[in-house]
Coordinates of all heavy atoms in Angstrom, one line a residue:
M789 N -56.9 -33.8 15.3 CA -56.5 -34.8 16.3 C -55.1 -34.5 16.8 O -54.2 -34.2 16.0 CB -56.6 -36.2 15.7 CG -56.4 -37.3 16.7 SD -57.0 -38.8 16.0 CE -55.6 -39.8 16.1
L790 N -54.9 -34.7 18.1 CA -53.6 -34.5 18.7 C -52.7 -35.7 18.6 O -53.2 -36.8 19.1 CB -53.8 -34.1 20.2 CG -52.7 -33.5 20.9 CD1 -52.3 -32.1 20.2 CD2 -53.1 -33.2 22.3
K791 N -51.6 -35.6 18.0 CA -50.7 -36.8 17.9 C -49.7 -36.8 19.1 O -49.4 -35.8 19.6 CB -49.9 -36.6 16.6 CG -50.8 -36.4 15.4 CD -50.9 -37.7 14.6 CE -51.6 -37.4 13.3 NZ -52.6 -38.2 13.0
I792 N -49.3 -38.1 19.4 CA -48.4 -38.3 20.5 C -47.1 -37.6 20.3 O -46.6 -37.0 21.3 CB -48.3 -39.8 20.8 CG1 -49.6 -40.3 21.3 CG2 -47.1 -40.0 21.8 CD1 -49.6 -41.8 21.6
P793 N -46.5 -37.6 19.1 CA -45.2 -36.8 19.0 C -45.4 -35.3 19.3 O -44.5 -34.7 19.8 CB -44.9 -37.0 17.5 CG -45.5 -38.3 17.2 CD -46.8 -38.4 18.0
D794 N -46.6 -34.7 19.0 CA -46.8 -33.3 19.3 C -46.8 -33.1 20.9 O -46.3 -32.1 21.4 CB -48.2 -32.9 18.8 CG -48.2 -33.0 17.3 OD1 -47.2 -32.9 16.6 OD2 -49.4 -33.1 16.8
V795 N -47.4 -34.0 21.6 CA -47.5 -34.0 23.0 C -46.1 -34.1 23.6 O -45.7 -33.3 24.5 CB -48.4 -35.0 23.6 CG1 -48.4 -35.0 25.1 CG2 -49.8 -34.8 23.1
T796 N -45.3 -35.1 23.2 CA -44.0 -35.3 23.7 C -43.1 -34.1 23.4 O -42.2 -33.7 24.2 CB -43.4 -36.6 23.2 OG1 -43.4 -36.6 21.8 CG2 -44.1 -37.8 23.7
A797 N -43.2 -33.5 22.2 CA -42.4 -32.3 21.8 C -42.7 -31.2 22.8 O -41.8 -30.5 23.2 CB -42.7 -31.9 20.4
Y798 N -44.0 -31.0 23.1 CA -44.4 -29.9 24.1 C -43.8 -30.2 25.4 O -43.3 -29.3 26.1 CB -45.9 -29.7 24.1 CG -46.2 -28.6 25.1 CD1 -46.2 -27.3 24.6 CD2 -46.5 -28.8 26.4 CE1 -46.4 -26.2 25.4 CE2 -46.7 -27.7 27.2 CZ -46.7 -26.4 26.7 OH -46.9 -25.4 27.6
L799 N -43.9 -31.4 25.9 CA -43.4 -31.8 27.2 C -41.9 -31.6 27.3 O -41.4 -31.2 28.3 CB -43.8 -33.2 27.6 CG -45.3 -33.5 27.7 CD1 -45.5 -35.0 28.0 CD2 -45.9 -32.6 28.7
K800 N -41.2 -31.8 26.2 CA -39.7 -31.6 26.2 C -39.4 -30.1 26.3 O -38.4 -29.8 26.9 CB -39.1 -32.2 25.0 CG -39.0 -33.7 25.1 CD -38.2 -34.3 23.9 CE -38.1 -35.8 24.0 NZ -37.4 -36.4 22.9
R801 N -40.2 -29.3 25.7 CA -40.0 -27.8 25.8 C -40.2 -27.3 27.2 O -39.6 -26.3 27.6 CB -41.0 -27.1 24.9 CG -40.5 -27.1 23.4 CD -41.4 -26.2 22.6 NE -42.3 -27.1 21.9 CZ -43.6 -26.8 21.8 NH1 -44.1 -25.7 22.2 NH2 -44.4 -27.7 21.2
C802 N -41.0 -28.0 28.1 CA -41.2 -27.6 29.4 C -40.0 -27.9 30.4 O -39.9 -27.5 31.5 CB -42.5 -28.2 30.0 SG -43.9 -27.4 29.3
N803 N -39.1 -28.8 29.9 CA -37.9 -29.3 30.6 C -38.3 -29.9 32.0 O -37.7 -29.6 33.0 CB -36.9 -28.1 30.9 CG -36.3 -27.7 29.6 OD1 -36.1 -28.5 28.7 ND2 -36.0 -26.4 29.4
H804 N -39.4 -30.6 32.0 CA -39.8 -31.3 33.3 C -39.4 -32.7 33.2 O -39.4 -33.4 32.1 CB -41.3 -31.3 33.4 CG -41.9 -30.0 33.9 ND1 -43.2 -29.8 34.1 CD2 -41.3 -28.8 34.3 CE1 -43.4 -28.6 34.6 NE2 -42.2 -28.0 34.7
T805 N -39.0 -33.3 34.4 CA -38.7 -34.7 34.4 C -40.0 -35.4 34.5 O -41.1 -34.8 34.6 CB -37.9 -35.0 35.7 OG1 -38.7 -34.7 36.9 CG2 -36.6 -34.3 35.7
K806 N -40.0 -36.8 34.4 CA -41.2 -37.5 34.5 C -41.9 -37.3 35.8 O -43.2 -37.2 35.9 CB -41.0 -39.0 34.3 CG -40.6 -39.4 32.9 CD -40.4 -40.8 32.7 CE -39.9 -41.2 31.3 NZ -39.7 -42.6 31.1
K807 N -41.2 -37.2 36.9 CA -41.7 -37.0 38.2 C -42.4 -35.7 38.3 O -43.5 -35.5 38.8 CB -40.7 -37.2 39.3 CG -41.2 -37.1 40.7 CD -40.1 -37.3 41.7 CE -40.7 -37.2 43.1 NZ -39.7 -37.4 44.2
Q808 N -41.7 -34.6 37.8 CA -42.3 -33.3 37.9 C -43.6 -33.2 37.0 O -44.5 -32.6 37.4 CB -41.3 -32.3 37.4 CG -40.1 -32.0 38.3 CD -39.1 -31.1 37.7 OE1 -38.9 -31.2 36.4 NE2 -38.4 -30.3 38.5
S809 N -43.5 -33.9 35.9 CA -44.7 -33.9 35.0 C -45.9 -34.6 35.7 O -47.0 -34.1 35.6 CB -44.4 -34.6 33.7 OG -43.4 -33.9 33.0
A810 N -45.6 -35.7 36.3 CA -46.7 -36.4 37.0 C -47.2 -35.6 38.2 O -48.5 -35.5 38.4 CB -46.1 -37.7 37.5
E811 N -46.4 -34.9 38.9 CA -46.8 -34.1 40.1 C -47.7 -32.9 39.6 O -48.7 -32.6 40.2 CB -45.6 -33.6 40.9 CG -44.9 -34.7 41.7 CD -43.6 -34.2 42.3 OE1 -43.2 -33.1 42.0 OE2 -43.1 -35.0 43.1
T812 N -47.3 -32.3 38.5 CA -48.0 -31.2 37.9 C -49.4 -31.7 37.4 O -50.4 -31.0 37.6 CB -47.2 -30.6 36.7 OG1 -45.9 -30.2 37.2 CG2 -47.9 -29.4 36.2
L813 N -49.4 -32.8 36.7 CA -50.7 -33.4 36.2 C -51.6 -33.7 37.4 O -52.8 -33.4 37.3 CB -50.4 -34.6 35.4 CG -51.7 -35.3 34.9 CD1 -52.5 -34.4 33.9 CD2 -51.3 -36.6 34.2
L814 N -51.1 -34.3 38.5 CA -52.0 -34.6 39.6 C -52.5 -33.3 40.3 O -53.6 -33.2 40.7 CB -51.2 -35.4 40.7 CG -51.0 -36.9 40.3 CD1 -50.0 -37.5 41.3 CD2 -52.3 -37.6 40.2
A815 N -51.6 -32.3 40.3 CA -52.1 -31.0 40.9 C -53.2 -30.4 40.0 O -54.2 -29.8 40.5 CB -50.9 -30.0 41.0
Q816 N -53.0 -30.5 38.7 CA -54.1 -30.0 37.8 C -55.4 -30.8 37.9 O -56.5 -30.2 37.8 CB -53.5 -30.0 36.3 CG -52.5 -28.9 36.1 CD -52.0 -28.9 34.7 OE1 -52.3 -29.7 33.9 NE2 -51.1 -27.9 34.4
I817 N -55.3 -32.1 38.1 CA -56.5 -32.9 38.3 C -57.2 -32.4 39.6 O -58.4 -32.3 39.6 CB -56.2 -34.4 38.3 CG1 -55.7 -34.8 37.0 CG2 -57.4 -35.2 38.9 CD1 -55.2 -36.3 36.9
G818 N -56.4 -32.1 40.6 CA -57.0 -31.6 41.9 C -57.7 -30.2 41.6 O -58.8 -29.9 42.1
E819 N -57.0 -29.3 40.8 CA -57.6 -28.0 40.5 C -58.9 -28.2 39.7 O -59.9 -27.4 39.9 CB -56.6 -27.2 39.8 CG -55.4 -26.7 40.6 CD -54.4 -26.1 39.8 OE1 -54.5 -26.0 38.5 OE2 -53.4 -25.6 40.4
F820 N -58.9 -29.1 38.8 CA -60.1 -29.4 38.0 C -61.3 -29.9 38.9 O -62.4 -29.4 38.8 CB -59.8 -30.4 36.9 CG -61.0 -30.8 36.1 CD1 -61.6 -30.0 35.2 CD2 -61.7 -32.0 36.4 CE1 -62.7 -30.4 34.5 CE2 -62.8 -32.4 35.7 CZ -63.3 -31.6 34.7
Y821 N -60.9 -30.8 39.8 CA -62.0 -31.3 40.7 C -62.5 -30.2 41.6 O -63.7 -30.1 41.9 CB -61.4 -32.4 41.6 CG -62.4 -33.0 42.6 CD1 -63.4 -33.8 42.1 CD2 -62.3 -32.7 43.9 CE1 -64.3 -34.4 43.0 CE2 -63.2 -33.2 44.8 CZ -64.2 -34.0 44.4 OH -65.1 -34.6 45.2
L822 N -61.7 -29.3 42.1 CA -62.1 -28.2 43.0 C -62.6 -27.0 42.2 O -63.1 -26.0 42.8 CB -60.9 -27.7 43.9 CG -60.5 -28.8 44.8 CD1 -59.2 -28.3 45.5 CD2 -61.5 -29.1 45.8
Q823 N -62.6 -27.1 40.9 CA -63.0 -26.0 39.9 C -62.3 -24.7 40.2 O -62.9 -23.6 40.3 CB -64.5 -25.8 40.0 CG -65.3 -27.0 39.5 CD -66.8 -26.8 39.4 OE1 -67.3 -25.9 39.9 NE2 -67.4 -27.7 38.7
I824 N -61.0 -24.8 40.3 CA -60.2 -23.6 40.5 C -59.8 -23.1 39.0 O -59.7 -23.9 38.1 CB -58.9 -23.9 41.3 CG1 -59.3 -24.4 42.7 CG2 -58.0 -22.7 41.3 CD1 -58.2 -24.9 43.5
S825 N -59.6 -21.8 38.9 CA -59.3 -21.2 37.6 C -58.1 -21.9 36.9 O -57.2 -22.3 37.6 CB -59.0 -19.7 37.8 OG -58.8 -19.1 36.5
P826 N -58.1 -22.2 35.7 CA -59.0 -21.9 34.6 C -60.1 -22.9 34.3 O -60.8 -22.8 33.3 CB -58.0 -21.9 33.4 CG -57.1 -23.0 33.7 CD -56.9 -23.0 35.2
Y827 N -60.4 -23.8 35.3 CA -61.3 -24.9 35.1 C -62.7 -24.5 35.5 O -63.6 -25.3 35.5 CB -60.9 -26.1 35.8 CG -59.5 -26.6 35.4 CD1 -58.5 -26.5 36.3 CD2 -59.3 -27.1 34.1 CE1 -57.2 -26.9 35.9 CE2 -58.0 -27.5 33.7 CZ -57.0 -27.4 34.6 OH -55.7 -27.8 34.3
K828 N -63.0 -23.2 36.0 CA -64.3 -22.9 36.4 C -65.1 -22.2 35.3 O -66.1 -21.6 35.5 CB -64.2 -22.0 37.7 CG -63.5 -20.7 37.5 CD -63.5 -20.0 38.9 CE -62.8 -18.7 38.8 NZ -62.7 -18.0 40.1
T829 N -64.6 -22.3 34.1 CA -65.3 -21.7 32.9 C -66.6 -22.5 32.8 O -66.6 -23.7 32.8 CB -64.5 -21.9 31.6 OG1 -63.2 -21.3 31.9 CG2 -65.2 -21.2 30.5
P830 N -67.8 -21.8 32.6 CA -69.0 -22.5 32.5 C -69.1 -23.3 31.2 O -68.6 -22.9 30.1 CB -70.1 -21.4 32.5 CG -69.4 -20.2 32.1 CD -68.0 -20.4 32.6
Y831 N -69.8 -24.5 31.2 CA -70.0 -25.3 30.1 C -71.4 -25.3 29.7 O -72.3 -25.7 30.5 CB -69.5 -26.7 30.4 CG -69.8 -27.7 29.3 CD1 -69.0 -27.8 28.2 CD2 -70.9 -28.6 29.3 CE1 -69.2 -28.7 27.1 CE2 -71.1 -29.5 28.3 CZ -70.3 -29.5 27.2 OH -70.5 -30.4 26.2
T832 N -71.8 -25.0 28.5 CA -73.1 -25.0 28.0 C -73.2 -26.0 26.8 O -72.5 -25.8 25.8 CB -73.5 -23.6 27.5 OG1 -73.2 -22.6 28.5 CG2 -75.0 -23.5 27.1
S833 N -74.0 -27.0 27.0 CA -74.0 -28.1 26.0 C -74.6 -27.6 24.7 O -74.4 -28.2 23.6 CB -74.8 -29.3 26.5 OG -76.1 -28.9 26.8
Q834 N -75.4 -26.5 24.7 CA -76.0 -26.0 23.4 C -74.9 -25.3 22.6 O -75.1 -25.2 21.4 CB -77.2 -25.1 23.7 CG -78.4 -25.8 24.2 CD -78.4 -26.1 25.7 OE1 -77.6 -25.4 26.4 NE2 -79.2 -27.0 26.1
V835 N -73.9 -24.7 23.3 CA -72.9 -23.9 22.6 C -71.6 -24.6 22.5 O -71.0 -24.7 21.4 CB -72.7 -22.6 23.4 CG1 -71.7 -21.7 22.7 CG2 -74.0 -21.8 23.5
N836 N -71.2 -25.2 23.6 CA -69.8 -25.9 23.6 C -69.9 -27.3 23.3 O -70.9 -28.0 23.5 CB -69.2 -25.7 25.0 CG -69.0 -24.3 25.4 OD1 -69.5 -23.4 24.8 ND2 -68.1 -24.1 26.3
T837 N -68.8 -27.8 22.9 CA -68.5 -29.3 22.8 C -67.4 -29.5 23.9 O -66.7 -28.6 24.2 CB -68.0 -29.8 21.5 OG1 -66.8 -29.2 21.2 CG2 -69.0 -29.4 20.4
P838 N -67.3 -30.8 24.4 CA -66.2 -31.0 25.3 C -64.8 -30.6 24.8 O -64.0 -30.1 25.5 CB -66.3 -32.5 25.6 CG -67.7 -32.8 25.4 CD -68.1 -31.9 24.2
L839 N -64.6 -30.9 23.5 CA -63.3 -30.6 22.9 C -63.1 -29.1 22.9 O -62.0 -28.6 23.2 CB -63.2 -31.2 21.5 CG -61.9 -31.1 20.8 CD1 -60.8 -31.8 21.6 CD2 -62.0 -31.7 19.5
S840 N -64.1 -28.3 22.5 CA -63.9 -26.8 22.5 C -63.7 -26.3 23.9 O -63.0 -25.3 24.1 CB -65.1 -26.2 21.8 OG -66.3 -26.3 22.5
W841 N -64.4 -26.8 24.9 CA -64.2 -26.4 26.3 C -62.8 -26.6 26.7 O -62.2 -25.7 27.3 CB -65.2 -27.1 27.2 CG -65.3 -26.5 28.6 CD1 -66.0 -25.4 29.0 CD2 -64.5 -26.9 29.7 NE1 -65.7 -25.2 30.3 CE2 -64.8 -26.1 30.8 CE3 -63.6 -28.0 29.9 CZ2 -64.3 -26.3 32.0 CZ3 -63.0 -28.1 31.1 CH2 -63.4 -27.3 32.2
W842 N -62.3 -27.8 26.5 CA -60.9 -28.1 26.9 C -59.9 -27.2 26.1 O -58.9 -26.8 26.7 CB -60.6 -29.5 26.7 CG -61.1 -30.3 27.9 CD1 -62.2 -31.1 27.9 CD2 -60.5 -30.4 29.2 NE1 -62.3 -31.7 29.2 CE2 -61.3 -31.2 30.0 CE3 -59.4 -29.7 29.8 CZ2 -61.0 -31.5 31.3 CZ3 -59.1 -30.0 31.1 CH2 -59.9 -30.8 31.9
K843 N -60.2 -26.9 24.9 CA -59.2 -26.0 24.2 C -59.3 -24.6 24.7 O -58.3 -23.9 24.6 CB -59.6 -26.0 22.7 CG -59.1 -27.3 22.0 CD -59.4 -27.3 20.5 CE -58.9 -28.5 19.8 NZ -59.1 -28.5 18.4
A844 N -60.4 -24.2 25.3 CA -60.5 -22.9 25.9 C -59.8 -22.8 27.2 O -59.4 -21.7 27.6 CB -62.0 -22.5 26.0
C845 N -59.7 -23.9 28.0 CA -59.0 -23.9 29.2 C -57.5 -24.0 28.9 O -57.1 -25.0 28.4 CB -59.4 -25.1 30.1 SG -61.1 -24.9 30.7
I846 N -56.7 -23.0 29.4 CA -55.3 -23.1 29.0 C -54.5 -22.9 30.3 O -54.1 -21.8 30.7 CB -54.9 -21.9 28.1 CG1 -55.8 -22.1 26.8 CG2 -53.5 -22.0 27.7 CD1 -55.6 -21.0 25.8
P847 N -54.3 -24.1 31.0 CA -53.4 -24.0 32.2 C -51.9 -24.0 31.8 O -51.6 -24.3 30.6 CB -53.7 -25.3 32.9 CG -54.2 -26.3 31.8 CD -54.8 -25.4 30.8
T848 N -51.0 -23.7 32.7 CA -49.6 -23.7 32.4 C -48.9 -24.6 33.3 O -48.9 -24.4 34.5 CB -49.1 -22.2 32.5 OG1 -49.9 -21.4 31.7 CG2 -47.6 -22.2 32.0
P849 N -48.2 -25.6 32.9 CA -48.2 -26.2 31.5 C -49.5 -27.0 31.3 O -50.1 -27.5 32.3 CB -47.0 -27.1 31.6 CG -46.8 -27.4 33.0 CD -47.3 -26.2 33.8
P850 N -49.9 -27.2 30.1 CA -51.2 -27.7 29.8 C -51.3 -29.3 29.8 O -51.8 -29.9 28.9 CB -51.6 -27.2 28.4 CG -50.3 -27.1 27.8 CD -49.3 -26.7 28.9
Y851 N -50.8 -29.9 30.8 CA -50.8 -31.4 30.9 C -52.2 -32.0 30.9 O -52.5 -32.9 30.1 CB -50.0 -31.9 32.1 CG -48.5 -31.6 32.0 CD1 -47.8 -31.3 33.2 CD2 -47.8 -31.5 30.9 CE1 -46.5 -31.0 33.2 CE2 -46.5 -31.2 30.8 CZ -45.8 -30.9 32.0 OH -44.5 -30.6 32.0
L852 N -53.0 -31.5 31.7 CA -54.4 -32.0 31.8 C -55.2 -31.7 30.5 O -55.9 -32.5 30.0 CB -55.1 -31.4 33.0 CG -56.5 -32.0 33.3 CD1 -56.4 -33.5 33.5 CD2 -57.1 -31.3 34.5
Q853 N -54.9 -30.5 30.0 CA -55.6 -30.1 28.7 C -55.1 -31.1 27.6 O -56.0 -31.6 26.8 CB -55.2 -28.7 28.3 CG -55.9 -28.3 27.0 CD -55.3 -26.9 26.5 OE1 -54.1 -26.7 26.7 NE2 -56.1 -26.2 25.9
L854 N -53.9 -31.4 27.5 CA -53.4 -32.3 26.5 C -53.9 -33.7 26.6 O -54.3 -34.3 25.7 CB -51.8 -32.3 26.5 CG -51.1 -31.0 26.1 CD1 -49.6 -31.2 26.3 CD2 -51.4 -30.7 24.6
L855 N -54.0 -34.1 27.9 CA -54.6 -35.5 28.2 C -56.1 -35.5 27.8 O -56.5 -36.5 27.1 CB -54.4 -35.8 29.7 CG -55.0 -37.1 30.1 CD1 -54.3 -38.3 29.4 CD2 -54.9 -37.2 31.6
A856 N -56.8 -34.5 28.1 CA -58.2 -34.5 27.8 C -58.5 -34.4 26.3 O -59.3 -35.1 25.8 CB -58.9 -33.3 28.5
I857 N -57.7 -33.6 25.6 CA -57.9 -33.5 24.1 C -57.5 -34.8 23.5 O -58.2 -35.3 22.6 CB -57.0 -32.3 23.6 CG1 -57.6 -31.0 24.0 CG2 -56.9 -32.4 22.1 CD1 -56.8 -29.8 23.7
K858 N -56.5 -35.5 24.0 CA -56.1 -36.8 23.5 C -57.2 -37.8 23.7 O -57.5 -38.6 22.8 CB -54.8 -37.3 24.1 CG -54.2 -38.6 23.5 CD -53.8 -38.3 22.1 CE -53.2 -39.6 21.6 NZ -53.1 -39.5 20.1
L859 N -57.8 -37.8 24.8 CA -58.9 -38.7 25.1 C -60.2 -38.4 24.3 O -60.8 -39.4 23.8 CB -59.3 -38.7 26.6 CG -58.3 -39.3 27.6 CD1 -58.8 -39.1 29.0 CD2 -58.2 -40.8 27.3
F860 N -60.5 -37.2 24.0 CA -61.6 -36.8 23.2 C -61.3 -37.1 21.7 O -62.3 -37.0 20.9 CB -62.1 -35.4 23.4 CG -62.8 -35.2 24.7 CD1 -62.4 -34.4 25.7 CD2 -64.0 -35.9 24.9 CE1 -63.1 -34.3 26.9 CE2 -64.8 -35.7 26.0 CZ -64.3 -34.9 27.0
S861 N -60.1 -37.3 21.3 CA -59.7 -37.6 19.9 C -59.9 -39.0 19.6 O -59.8 -39.4 18.4 CB -58.3 -37.1 19.7 OG -58.2 -35.8 19.9
I862 N -60.1 -39.9 20.6 CA -60.3 -41.3 20.3 C -61.7 -41.6 19.8 O -62.7 -41.1 20.3 CB -60.1 -42.1 21.6 CG1 -58.7 -42.0 22.1 CG2 -60.4 -43.6 21.4 CD1 -58.4 -42.6 23.5
I863 N -61.7 -42.3 18.7 CA -63.0 -42.6 18.0 C -63.5 -44.0 18.4 O -62.8 -45.0 18.1 CB -62.9 -42.5 16.5 CG1 -62.4 -41.1 16.1 CG2 -64.2 -42.9 15.8 CD1 -62.0 -41.0 14.6
P864 N -64.6 -44.1 19.2 CA -65.0 -45.4 19.6 C -65.7 -46.1 18.4 O -66.5 -45.6 17.7 CB -66.1 -45.1 20.7 CG -66.5 -43.7 20.3 CD -65.4 -43.0 19.7
H865 N -65.3 -47.4 18.2 CA -65.9 -48.2 17.2 C -65.7 -49.7 17.6 O -64.9 -50.0 18.4 CB -65.3 -47.9 15.8 CG -63.9 -48.1 15.7 ND1 -63.3 -49.3 15.5 CD2 -62.8 -47.3 15.8 CE1 -62.0 -49.2 15.5 NE2 -61.7 -48.0 15.7
A866 N -66.4 -50.5 17.0 CA -66.3 -52.0 17.3 C -65.9 -52.8 16.0 O -66.2 -53.9 15.9 CB -67.7 -52.5 17.7
A867 N -65.1 -52.1 15.2 CA -64.6 -52.8 14.0 C -63.8 -54.1 14.3 O -64.0 -55.1 13.7 CB -63.9 -51.9 13.1
S868 N -62.9 -54.0 15.2 CA -62.0 -55.1 15.5 C -62.9 -56.2 16.1 O -62.6 -57.4 15.8 CB -60.9 -54.7 16.5 OG -61.5 -54.2 17.7
C869 N -63.9 -55.9 17.0 CA -64.7 -57.0 17.5 C -65.6 -57.6 16.4 O -65.7 -58.8 16.4 CB -65.7 -56.4 18.6 SG -64.8 -55.7 20.0
E870 N -66.1 -56.8 15.5 CA -66.9 -57.3 14.4 C -66.0 -58.3 13.5 O -66.5 -59.3 13.1 CB -67.4 -56.2 13.6 CG -68.5 -55.4 14.3 CD -69.8 -56.1 14.4 OE1 -70.1 -57.1 13.7 OE2 -70.6 -55.7 15.3
R871 N -64.8 -57.9 13.3 CA -63.9 -58.7 12.5 C -63.7 -60.1 13.2 O -63.7 -61.1 12.6 CB -62.5 -58.0 12.4 CG -61.6 -58.6 11.4 CD -60.3 -57.8 11.1 NE -60.6 -56.4 10.9 CZ -60.2 -55.4 11.6 NH1 -59.5 -55.6 12.7 NH2 -60.5 -54.2 11.3
I872 N -63.5 -60.1 14.5 CA -63.3 -61.3 15.3 C -64.5 -62.2 15.2 O -64.4 -63.4 15.0 CB -62.8 -61.0 16.7 CG1 -61.4 -60.4 16.7 CG2 -62.9 -62.3 17.6 CD1 -61.0 -59.9 18.1
W873 N -65.7 -61.6 15.4 CA -66.9 -62.4 15.3 C -67.1 -62.9 13.9 O -67.7 -64.0 13.8 CB -68.1 -61.5 15.7 CG -68.1 -61.1 17.2 CD1 -67.6 -61.8 18.2 CD2 -68.6 -59.9 17.7 NE1 -67.7 -61.1 19.4 CE2 -68.3 -59.9 19.1 CE3 -69.2 -58.8 17.2 CZ2 -68.7 -58.9 20.0 CZ3 -69.6 -57.7 18.0 CH2 -69.3 -57.8 19.4
S874 N -66.7 -62.2 12.9 CA -66.9 -62.7 11.6 C -66.0 -63.9 11.3 O -66.4 -64.9 10.7 CB -66.5 -61.6 10.6 OG -66.5 -62.1 9.3
I875 N -64.8 -63.9 11.8 CA -63.8 -65.0 11.7 C -64.4 -66.2 12.5 O -64.3 -67.4 12.0 CB -62.4 -64.6 12.2 CG1 -61.8 -63.6 11.2 CG2 -61.5 -65.8 12.3 CD1 -60.6 -62.9 11.6
C876 N -64.9 -66.0 13.7 CA -65.5 -67.1 14.5 C -66.7 -67.7 13.8 O -66.9 -68.9 13.8 CB -65.9 -66.6 15.9 SG -64.6 -66.2 16.9
G877 N -67.4 -66.8 13.0 CA -68.5 -67.3 12.3 C -68.1 -68.3 11.2 O -68.8 -69.2 10.8
W878 N -66.9 -68.1 10.6 CA -66.4 -69.0 9.6 C -66.1 -70.4 10.2 O -66.3 -71.4 9.6 CB -65.1 -68.5 9.0 CG -65.1 -67.2 8.2 CD1 -66.3 -66.6 7.8 CD2 -64.0 -66.4 7.8 NE1 -65.9 -65.4 7.1 CE2 -64.6 -65.3 7.1 CE3 -62.7 -66.5 7.9 CZ2 -63.8 -64.3 6.5 CZ3 -61.9 -65.6 7.4 CH2 -62.4 -64.5 6.7
V879 N -65.6 -70.4 11.4 CA -65.2 -71.6 12.1 C -66.5 -72.4 12.4 O -66.5 -73.6 12.3 CB -64.3 -71.4 13.3 CG1 -64.1 -72.6 14.1 CG2 -63.0 -70.7 12.9
V880 N -67.5 -71.8 12.9 CA -68.7 -72.4 13.4 C -69.8 -72.5 12.4 O -70.6 -73.4 12.5 CB -69.1 -71.7 14.7 CG1 -70.4 -72.4 15.3 CG2 -68.0 -71.6 15.7
G881 N -69.8 -71.7 11.4 CA -71.0 -71.5 10.5 C -71.0 -72.6 9.5 O -70.4 -73.7 9.5
K882 N -71.9 -72.3 8.5 CA -72.2 -73.3 7.4 C -71.0 -73.6 6.5 O -70.8 -74.7 6.0 CB -73.3 -72.7 6.5 CG -74.6 -72.6 7.2 CD -75.7 -72.0 6.3 CE -77.0 -71.9 7.0 NZ -78.0 -71.3 6.1
R883 N -70.1 -72.6 6.4 CA -68.9 -72.8 5.6 C -68.0 -73.9 6.1 O -67.5 -74.7 5.4 CB -68.1 -71.4 5.5 CG -66.9 -71.5 4.6 CD -66.3 -70.1 4.6 NE -65.1 -70.1 3.8 CZ -64.3 -69.1 3.6 NH1 -64.6 -68.0 4.2 NH2 -63.3 -69.2 2.8
R884 N -67.9 -73.9 7.4 CA -67.1 -75.0 8.1 C -67.7 -76.3 8.0 O -67.0 -77.3 7.8 CB -66.9 -74.6 9.6 CG -66.2 -75.6 10.4 CD -64.8 -75.8 10.1 NE -64.2 -76.7 11.0 CZ -63.1 -77.4 10.7 NH1 -62.4 -77.1 9.7 NH2 -62.6 -78.3 11.6
T885 N -69.0 -76.4 8.1 CA -69.7 -77.7 8.0 C -69.6 -78.3 6.6 O -69.8 -79.6 6.5 CB -71.2 -77.6 8.5 OG1 -71.8 -76.7 7.7 CG2 -71.2 -77.3 9.9
R886 N -69.4 -77.5 5.6 CA -69.4 -78.1 4.2 C -68.0 -78.7 3.9 O -67.9 -79.4 3.0 CB -69.6 -76.9 3.2 CG -71.0 -76.6 3.0 CD -71.2 -75.7 1.8 NE -71.1 -74.3 2.4 CZ -70.6 -73.3 1.7 NH1 -70.2 -73.5 0.4 NH2 -70.4 -72.1 2.2
L887 N -67.0 -78.4 4.7 CA -65.7 -79.0 4.5 C -65.6 -80.4 4.6 O -65.9 -81.2 5.3 CB -64.6 -78.3 5.3 CG -64.4 -76.8 5.0 CD1 -63.4 -76.2 6.0 CD2 -63.8 -76.6 3.6

């Protein structure tokens, strides 16, 4: 998993200002949309995973690659929602009516 301090350390090595970084990221998003190199590498779902495909694409500087890897590192789960519903169940459920 890619940690935010790793990303910020890399961005500091590039010596870009926030504006330059944003402009570079927007340019890379445009290149990705138009499938300009290095983003025209074929993706095969039987062989590749999205994470491995993004690790194989190495733009310079790799702002879009870092963003994509960070997004694919997020684990979707509903634990916090389940916790809230459980607490609401205490307020409305049988436990509350016994008080």
Side-chain angles (χ1 to χ4, degrees):
M789 186 160 123
L790 194 62
K791 306 260 188 225
I792 291 177
D794 299 335
V795 174
T796 54
Y798 183 82
L799 295 179
K800 284 185 180 180
R801 278 187 263 139
C802 289
N803 293 325
H804 281 179
T805 64
K806 288 182 182 180
K807 184 177 180 181
Q808 289 172 327
S809 298
E811 289 171 351
T812 305
L813 178 62
L814 287 174
Q816 289 180 356
I817 290 172
E819 290 171 356
F820 175 76
Y821 179 74
L822 297 172
Q823 293 186 349
I824 297 172
S825 184
Y827 305 111
K828 63 181 177 181
T829 307
Y831 175 79
T832 308
S833 60
Q834 289 82 20
V835 178
N836 296 22
T837 64
L839 188 58
S840 68
W841 187 87
W842 276 105
K843 286 183 178 181
C845 289
I846 304 174
T848 305
Y851 296 145
L852 185 58
Q853 180 192 31
L854 293 173
L855 177 64
I857 291 172
K858 186 68 180 165
L859 287 175
F860 283 117
S861 298
I862 297 172
I863 301 170
H865 60 82
S868 61
C869 297
E870 292 289 339
R871 191 176 308 117
I872 291 170
W873 293 328
S874 175
I875 292 169
C876 289
W878 293 350
V879 174
V880 181
K882 293 179 182 179
R883 184 177 181 185
R884 172 72 178 158
T885 57
R886 278 190 276 148
L887 292 176

